[in-house]
Amino acid sequence: METSLQHPLLGEILLSQTRRARRISLSVRAAGAVRLSFPYGVPRARALEFLESKAEWIVRTRERLEARAAAHPAPAACDVEMLRRAAKAALPARVEELARLHGFRYGRVTIRASRTKWGCCTGDNNLSLSLFLMILPPHLRDFVLLHELCHTVHHNHSPRFHALLDRLTGGNEKLLSRELRSYAIPAR
């Protein structure tokens, strides 16, 4: 069940009470929208207490996202088709090159206009990549591709997964991950 409320400091908050939620959680989208999710069985008042306890965090996160957006402006709507063409031309070939270099086996590579994540790997080792990878510098694009290829071996974020990714990035996984967080997938 989804509703919204107007918070005096934070503005509109989307409240989502759902069976899938295991705990109370907050998310702040690149455009600043706030979503408060909580499971059935948790009273709305308890979820709102949690929201209040995190108000400062929400304000700081919005400021950080605004600074990130200013540093890395989103492509214009007309550029999305250009990004799609560039992604289809470059990404599957680069995945193949990296897989061959490091001995990975994967299924299909699809390019999507995903705005929630840079890429994902299915249980069948198919890779789905966001066309917005094309806004990243090449070394970060390769980092995301290696991240997804590592999921063909470890379908989780276990210590073994991170050790493999760290080895493939010359011991720079944490540094590259931090740098990647300075970029945001453009909001609509």
Side-chain angles (χ1 to χ4, degrees):
M1 179 175 78
E2 287 192 352
T3 59
S4 65
L5 70 87
Q6 199 63 32
H7 188 277
L9 171 67
L10 304 171
E12 186 177 13
I13 306 293
L14 179 66
L15 301 176
S16 177
Q17 190 171 28
T18 172
R19 295 191 197 293
R20 289 191 324 251
R22 297 281 177 247
R23 57 182 163 55
I24 302 172
S25 65
L26 277 169
S27 62
V28 181
R29 295 281 182 212
V34 177
R35 179 187 194 98
L36 175 65
S37 300
F38 57 103
Y40 285 104
V42 170
R44 178 181 161 123
R46 172 68 190 106
L48 293 176
E49 284 173 21
F50 180 80
L51 174 71
E52 289 302 327
S53 74
K54 299 294 183 181
E56 231 177 83
W57 174 83
I58 293 168
V59 170
R60 284 193 319 270
T61 301
R62 280 179 168 165
E63 289 169 354
R64 192 176 72 247
L65 290 171
E66 284 176 24
R68 182 186 298 173
H72 308 290
C78 62
D79 291 345
V80 170
E81 284 311 311
M82 180 186 75
L83 289 174
R84 185 184 313 276
R85 285 190 300 276
K88 285 184 175 185
L91 295 178
R94 186 61 179 153
V95 168
E96 185 178 335
E97 187 179 344
L98 290 170
R100 193 174 39 238
L101 180 67
H102 298 291
F104 289 108
R105 297 173 59 87
Y106 63 94
R108 282 187 324 274
V109 175
T110 56
I111 308 298
R112 303 190 191 286
S114 172
R115 293 178 185 271
T116 57
K117 46 178 107 168
W118 296 110
C120 70
C121 176
T122 69
D124 297 331
N125 294 338
N126 294 318
L127 306 182
S128 177
L129 303 172
S130 173
L131 61 89
F132 296 103
L133 280 167
M134 301 310 291
I135 68 172
L136 296 176
H139 72 285
L140 289 179
R141 202 176 310 145
D142 279 356
F143 174 66
V144 172
L145 299 180
L146 284 171
H147 180 108
E148 298 312 327
L149 285 168
C150 286
H151 280 309
T152 65
V153 177
H154 304 288
H155 290 275
N156 52 41
H157 288 113
S158 66
R160 292 186 330 193
F161 166 85
H162 287 290
L164 175 60
L165 184 55
D166 194 50
R167 184 173 53 80
L168 295 177
T169 58
N172 291 313
E173 182 206 4
K174 287 184 179 172
L175 179 71
L176 291 166
S177 183
R178 194 174 315 118
E179 185 180 355
L180 181 62
R181 284 194 299 272
S182 74
Y183 288 83
I185 296 174
R188 292 191 195 278

